């Protein structure tokens, strides 16, 4: 077998963001672009020789092309065993599960997650470590440095591997094993969730809809919900992964999953609704007539997780990303467990999980997970909800309302200003950071600033410090506004403004979110001078 060392020259833009390297498909299609990045990753991984590597993706356009390249490069770089999902498919949580189960040195996950797909859409490459979680910043920075000085990559000459057929094939000195994408994941779920109880729930006539948005979760949801748990056929919609996600924007939020939202608010709403994103790590939960914010969902799961077999011994602690509402903290306080606040991005949860400090964690962007893997896990969250619904024998909306009655309600909304000019977005943040010291005590839209800072995270496990993770402004009225720039976009810049307000009074738990948050929105706009810097009078997406 011939191993070629192919000369190359670096690209200057291969720095991974919040979750891997994410660019337009057309950028990835440039000759040597994929090869350079993958070689930089392999050069950075310690101990590739003789090791096992996992490869899979969310099935978006360009997935299979990159997988074939990655396989031949992995063989050339000394990996001895490569596990790849059938048809090139692996959801991000399944990849994490498989890396851990088969003690791989890591895995390549090909996905741009919730970003649109297709020839004009986005593509992405993420690397997960031996613990199954996203590479930490020390690793991604090393990859970037390596990619910036790369001069050759290694690839073997071989024909493409048949990804449709399960089983082993030789590729150079390596063995490629095409594995069932769903099996290992489903097995893991069975150890955590009371499948018998959830089956009984479905047999009793409980109806649900799971919208896979034509992305990777379809096969997983069909096999588990309709297959193992006996939900009626047709429970899973848009269940075939498509290279362009059937035109869907695979971001499970009320804007992009509006079909599900409409159904759940209509007269024929089933008992429970859920959706997941491109690579299957996010989840959206909808009760009849009521969208459950991801922040509330994390809090509710924290309060009731002990009802599921995997968590019957209680939780060690809980963590949330900084912009996620403080609802989970309230539950943690009542349970007497510790609540941690991390920067945005799943990679920051890994140390806490590895050290056993937390059991559950989540983000406002619809990511929820536990110590069963090192990624957020969309379908797992849905299954845990089902377990809780079956155990409490209460309608989903009632569970949410009871939660608010017990803990108070954190009204929550995120405003995104997309496709801004990078300079305008940076100027806005610079201006905001520059005025922080003068804000405390000032009033905006009737709210008084109690305190503010630029979030800096000190990892409690390894002591590493990650500064400048977003500006937070706390108001005396128990409200909060957070500002940060997205690290997953592929064109221009996106400003995210996260707003919340706590309402303890049960008589005020059924108000429209926009009404309750109006003063916070006005204050946030005034403080950050959003219209001035963005030229926009309103956000492009409100979730
Ligand atoms: C977004 C979300 C963040 C999430 C990240 C990856 O990042 O805000 O919470 O971890 O996407 O999610 P940003 O930097 O654009 O705000 V996914 O589903 O790509 O794996
Ligand atoms: Co995702």
């Amino acid at each position: 077998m011939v191993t070629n060392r192919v000369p190359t020259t670096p690209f200057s833009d291969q720095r991974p963001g919040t979750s891997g390297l994410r660019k337009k498909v057309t950028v990835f299609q440039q000759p040597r672009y994929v090869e350079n990045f993958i070689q930089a990753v392999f050069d950075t991984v310690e101990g590739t020789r003789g090791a096992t590597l996992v490869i899979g993706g969310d099935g978006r356009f360009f997935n299979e092309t990159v997988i074939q390249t990655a396989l031949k490069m992995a063989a050339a770089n000394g990996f001895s065993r490569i596990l790849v999902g059938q048809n090139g498919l692996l959801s991000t949580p399944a990849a994490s599960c498989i890396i851990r189960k088969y003690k791989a040195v890591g895995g390549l996950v090909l996905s741009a997650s919730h970003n649109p797909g297709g020839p004009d859409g986005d593509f992405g490459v993420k690397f997960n470590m031996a613990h199954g979680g996203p590479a930490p910043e020390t690793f991604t920075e090393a990859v970037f440095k390596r990619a910036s000085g790369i001069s050759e990559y290694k690839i073997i000459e071989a024909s493409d591997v048949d990804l449709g057929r399960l089983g082993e094939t030789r590729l150079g000195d390596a063995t490629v094993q095409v594995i069932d994408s769903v099996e290992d994941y489903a097995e893991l779920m069975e150890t955590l969730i009371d499948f018998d109880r959830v089956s009984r729930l479905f047999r009793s006539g409980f109806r649900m809809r799971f919208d896979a948005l034509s992305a990777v979760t379809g096969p997983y949801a069909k096999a588990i919900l309709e297959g193992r748990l006996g939900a009626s056929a047709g429970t899973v919609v848009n269940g075939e992964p498509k290279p362009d996600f059937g035109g869907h924007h695979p971001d499970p939020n009320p804007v992009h999953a509006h079909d599900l939202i409409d159904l759940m608010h209509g007269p024929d709403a089933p008992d429970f609704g859920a959706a997941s994103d491109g690579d299957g790590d996010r989840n959206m939960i909808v009760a009849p007539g009521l969208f459950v914010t991801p922040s509330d969902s994390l809090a509710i799961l924290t309060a009731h997780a002990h009802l599921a077999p995997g968590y019957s011994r209680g939780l060690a602690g809980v963590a949330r990303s900084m912009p996620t509402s403080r609802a989970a903290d309230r539950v943690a306080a009542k349970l007497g467990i510790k609540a941690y606040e991390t920067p945005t991005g799943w990679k920051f949860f890994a140390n806490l999980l590895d050290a056993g400090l937390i059991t559950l964690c989540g983000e406002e962007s619809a990511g929820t997970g536990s110590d069963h893997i090192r990624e957020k896990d969309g379908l797992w969250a849905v299954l845990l909800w089902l377990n809780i619904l079956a155990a409490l024998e209460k309608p989903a909306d009632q569970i949410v309302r009871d939660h608010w009655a017990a803990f108070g309600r954190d009204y929550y909304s995120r405003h995104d200003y997309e496709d801004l000019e990078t300079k305008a977005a940076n100027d806005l943040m610079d201006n905001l950071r520059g005025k922080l010291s003068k804000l405390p005590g000032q009033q905006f839209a009737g709210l008084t600033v109690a305190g503010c800072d630029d979030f800096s995270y000190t990892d409690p496990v390894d002591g590493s410090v990650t500064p400048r993770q977003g500006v937070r402004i706390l108001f005396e009225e128990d409200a909060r506004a957070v500002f940060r720039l997205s690290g997953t976009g592929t064109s221009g810049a996106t400003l995210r403004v996260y707003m919340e307000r706590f309402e303890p009074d049960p008589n005020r738990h059924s108000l429209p979110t926009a009404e309750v948050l109006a003063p916070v929105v006005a204050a946030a706009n005034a403080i950050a001078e959003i219209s001035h810097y963005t030229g926009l009078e309103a956000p492009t997406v409100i979730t």
Side-chain angles (χ1 to χ4, degrees), residues 369-413:
S370 89
D371 58 359
H372 67 292
I373 52 169
R374 294 294 177 273
E375 280 282 3
K376 51 190 186 271
D377 189 342
L379 190 51
W380 163 87
V382 174
L383 293 170
L384 186 52
W385 260 95
L386 286 169
N387 195 144
I388 291 167
L389 283 159
L392 293 180
E393 298 180 341
K394 274 199 259 180
D397 49 324
Q398 191 61 44
I399 292 177
V400 180
R401 289 184 208 288
D402 288 353
H403 186 89
W404 292 338
F407 294 95
R409 178 172 179 186
D410 289 88
Y411 282 94
Y412 192 88
S413 184

Side-chain angles (χ1 to χ4, degrees), residues 113-114 277 279-282 376:
S113 187
H114 56 287
D277 73 331
D279 60 333
D281 55 0
R282 297 189 182 200
K376 51 190 186 271

Side-chain angles (χ1 to χ4, degrees), residues 350-535:
N351 277 352
L352 298 171
L353 290 163
D354 280 348
L357 296 175
I358 59 167
T359 311
L360 294 196
C361 44
E363 296 191 279
E364 54 62 46
S365 54
T368 335
S370 89
D371 58 359
H372 67 292
I373 52 169
R374 294 294 177 273
E375 280 282 3
K376 51 190 186 271
D377 189 342
L379 190 51
W380 163 87
V382 174
L383 293 170
L384 186 52
W385 260 95
L386 286 169
N387 195 144
I388 291 167
L389 283 159
L392 293 180
E393 298 180 341
K394 274 199 259 180
D397 49 324
Q398 191 61 44
I399 292 177
V400 180
R401 289 184 208 288
D402 288 353
H403 186 89
W404 292 338
F407 294 95
R409 178 172 179 186
D410 289 88
Y411 282 94
Y412 192 88
S413 184
R414 185 176 100 188
H415 288 191
D416 290 336
Y417 296 80
E418 297 171 316
D419 233 331
L420 305 177
E421 277 182 31
T422 307
K423 183 176 181 317
N426 287 333
D427 287 351
L428 180 148
M429 291 302 292
D430 288 346
N431 173 57
L432 184 57
R433 290 188 162 108
K435 57 164 95 162
L436 286 183
S437 61
K438 294 187 236 74
L439 288 180
Q442 286 194 50
Q443 277 216 350
F444 300 90
L447 303 176
T448 306
V449 176
C452 52
D453 66 359
D454 189 350
F455 181 55
S456 172
Y457 178 62
T458 304
D459 186 304
V461 179
D462 65 17
S464 61
V465 177
T466 314
R468 289 169 71 86
Q469 293 299 301
V471 168
R472 9 177 224 189
I473 298 179
L474 200 64
F475 298 98
E476 281 174 10
E477 293 75 11
D478 223 345
R480 191 175 76 140
V482 170
F483 304 81
R484 61 179 283 281
L485 299 183
S486 158
T488 59
T490 57
S491 66
T494 293
L495 169 70
R496 303 205 195 284
V497 188
Y498 312 79
M499 285 157 296
E500 64 187 276
R501 185 169 194 168
F502 181 60
E503 179 53 75
D505 181 358
N507 296 318
R508 292 177 50 81
H509 285 170
S510 297
L511 301 172
T513 298
E515 183 186 312
V516 175
L517 292 182
V520 192
V521 172
N525 286 350
I527 292 171
E529 301 170 70
I530 297 175
S531 318
H532 169 75
Y533 282 98
T534 66

Side-chain angles (χ1 to χ4, degrees), residues 191-233:
T191 66
L192 304 169
I193 306 295
D194 189 341
F195 272 37
D196 288 342
R197 199 160 198 172
V198 178
S199 307
R200 285 205 297 279
L201 180 72
F202 281 122
R203 277 204 304 275
S204 73
F206 183 90
R207 290 188 307 140
M208 97 172 263
R209 173 169 292 186
F210 184 98
D211 193 336
L213 298 175
S214 303
V216 81
T217 324
Y220 295 86
K222 271 198 211 162
I224 295 176
L225 296 173
E226 297 182 13
R228 299 190 186 208
L229 294 170
S232 57

